[in-house]
Amino acid sequence: MARLDVTDTPSETDLATIGEGLTAFNAADVGPSERRALAVLIQDESGKTIGGISGYTAWGWLFTAWLFVPETLRGQGMASKLLEAAEAEAMARGCFGAWIDTFNPQALRAYQRQGYAIFGELPDFPAGRSRYFLQKTLSPR
């Protein structure tokens, strides 16, 4: 008989078992995702990474998981440059859409200026804010 074990310290093997099982199920259900990591790095003059985008492409979509611009580079269009670079690579990989989420009001406005439209909202995540989910159709410029 199966039992449940609630933990905040799953092993890498535990996580790999879950991930591999879900990946196999999804591939059988809708086809392989062809998931590939995608990062656009901001580097300083010494080559040290100081910010950027981290995400992946899968099933024809770009997902941006993290976007960080250091304080000293904010207000200079860096987020737009990062998104444009990631979107260009995603299109080169055959992607037709992109999505991202945020609970930061400034980031929300930046993403909307970049052509992203809200498709969902999760109120009070975190408390007092809403988490917005945004999408964009990718097309060659």
Side-chain angles (χ1 to χ4, degrees), residues 80-102:
S80 292
K81 292 174 187 173
L82 288 168
L83 287 166
E84 287 170 5
E87 292 165 5
E89 175 60 22
M91 286 186 289
R93 295 180 184 189
C95 291
F96 53 83
W99 72 283
I100 193 167
D101 67 271
T102 187

Side-chain angles (χ1 to χ4, degrees), residues 4-105:
L4 302 180
D5 180 21
V6 177
T7 180
D8 62 355
T9 57
S11 72
E12 290 299 319
T13 302
D14 295 333
L15 296 175
T17 298
I18 296 166
E20 290 165 7
L22 182 59
T23 297
F25 175 85
N26 285 340
D29 186 36
V30 297
S33 70
E34 299 179 11
R35 181 176 172 149
R36 288 177 56 195
L38 193 157
V40 181
L41 309 176
I42 303 170
Q43 297 179 327
D44 68 12
E45 58 280 345
S46 70
K48 178 183 173 191
T49 299
I50 58 172
I53 278 182
S54 173
Y56 60 85
T57 56
W59 286 301
W61 284 82
L62 163 64
F63 170 60
T64 298
W66 295 341
L67 188 157
F68 174 71
V69 176
E71 184 79 31
T72 57
L73 297 175
R74 292 182 190 157
Q76 302 174 33
M78 184 58 73
S80 292
K81 292 174 187 173
L82 288 168
L83 287 166
E84 287 170 5
E87 292 165 5
E89 175 60 22
M91 286 186 289
R93 295 180 184 189
C95 291
F96 53 83
W99 72 283
I100 193 167
D101 67 271
T102 187
F103 54 79
N104 180 288

Side-chain angles (χ1 to χ4, degrees), residues 91-129:
M91 286 186 289
R93 295 180 184 189
C95 291
F96 53 83
W99 72 283
I100 193 167
D101 67 271
T102 187
F103 54 79
N104 180 288
Q106 290 173 300
L108 176 62
R109 288 189 298 275
Y111 301 152
Q112 290 174 312
R113 281 192 305 271
Q114 192 66 23
Y116 286 76
I118 296 170
F119 71 87
E121 177 184 355
L122 185 59
D124 283 324
F125 189 87
R129 295 241 183 127

